């Protein structure tokens, strides 16, 4: 009987220590939620990269296995494919890009951003086409503490003019 009591007491102590250790781990695990400014930085950097005609810099703002969900086109997955996609936009005559964050939230590790964009393209004949629309980004914090996109989806408000 004494052996069973000692075993039961030891088991309770081990369980209590385990629970205490888990609670301590939980206290330090969550990150502080990011601000709208921090979450919107990814797209501001993205717009700058496009205007600078740097598809590599634009693609580096996405995770290695990220996906784009462009309107009326198949999904584009993987950083290299994303780079090629944005190089296509640059080659199509992109001359200006701007974004505005409307809402963004995070739990400290994952986040989202909702916003608007305006892209301008200069056609071979010199005319300027403007594409205005909205976007949603699903973001995650990378190892360096920067927010980068895992999924990006957008659509135009109307046919570009």
């Amino acid at each position: 009987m004494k052996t069973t009591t000692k075993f039961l007491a030891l088991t309770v102590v081990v369980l209590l220590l385990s629970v205490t250790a888990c609670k301590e781990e939980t206290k330090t695990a969550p990150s502080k939620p990011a601000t709208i400014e921090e979450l919107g930085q990814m797209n501001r950097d993205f717009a700058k990269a496009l205007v600078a005609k740097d598809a590599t810099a634009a693609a580096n703002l996405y995770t290695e296995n990220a996906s784009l969900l462009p309107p009326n086109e198949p999904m584009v997955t993987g950083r290299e494919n994303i780079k090629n996609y944005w190089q296509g936009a640059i080659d199509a005559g992109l001359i200006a890009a701007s974004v505005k964050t409307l809402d963004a939230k995070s739990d400290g590790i994952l986040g989202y951003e909702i916003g608007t964009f305006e892209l301008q393209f200069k056609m071979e004949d010199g005319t300027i086409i403007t594409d205005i629309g909205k976007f949603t980004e699903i973001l995650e914090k990378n190892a360096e503490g920067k927010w980068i996109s895992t999924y990006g989806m957008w659509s135009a408000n109307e046919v570009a003019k």
Side-chain angles (χ1 to χ4, degrees), residues 31-160:
S31 295
K32 177 181 101 176
T35 66
I36 288 177
E37 180 72 19
E38 291 168 325
L39 293 165
Q41 189 61 50
M42 176 267 166
N43 269 306
R44 288 190 301 278
D45 291 344
F46 172 74
K48 286 178 191 171
L50 289 183
V51 172
K53 304 193 180 315
D54 189 345
T56 300
N60 285 337
L61 295 165
Y62 293 86
T63 63
E64 189 64 42
N65 297 310
S67 293
L68 299 179
L69 293 88
N72 306 311
E73 295 181 55
M75 189 179 330
V76 178
T77 300
R79 190 178 284 149
E80 187 65 24
N81 293 327
I82 290 170
K83 178 183 120 184
N84 295 335
Y85 182 89
W86 291 119
Q87 186 62 54
I90 292 165
D91 294 345
L94 186 119
I95 57 170
S98 63
V99 295
K100 179 181 178 186
T101 303
L102 301 177
D103 189 26
K105 290 192 177 43
S106 83
D107 67 0
I109 298 168
L110 292 174
Y112 71 84
E113 178 190 10
I114 307 280
T116 60
F117 69 85
E118 183 173 314
L119 302 174
Q120 290 187 328
F121 296 85
K122 187 172 185 177
M123 306 287 74
E124 286 183 15
D125 67 2
T127 60
I128 305 291
I129 294 178
T130 302
D131 189 15
I132 298 171
K134 61 271 182 199
F135 66 87
T136 301
E137 296 284 348
I138 305 300
L139 304 164
E140 72 178 42
K141 195 181 267 191
N142 69 10
E144 292 81 41
K146 290 185 77 170
W147 289 94
I148 59 176
S149 180
T150 58
Y151 293 97
M153 183 191 247
W154 67 96
S155 64
N157 292 345
E158 58 186 60
V159 175

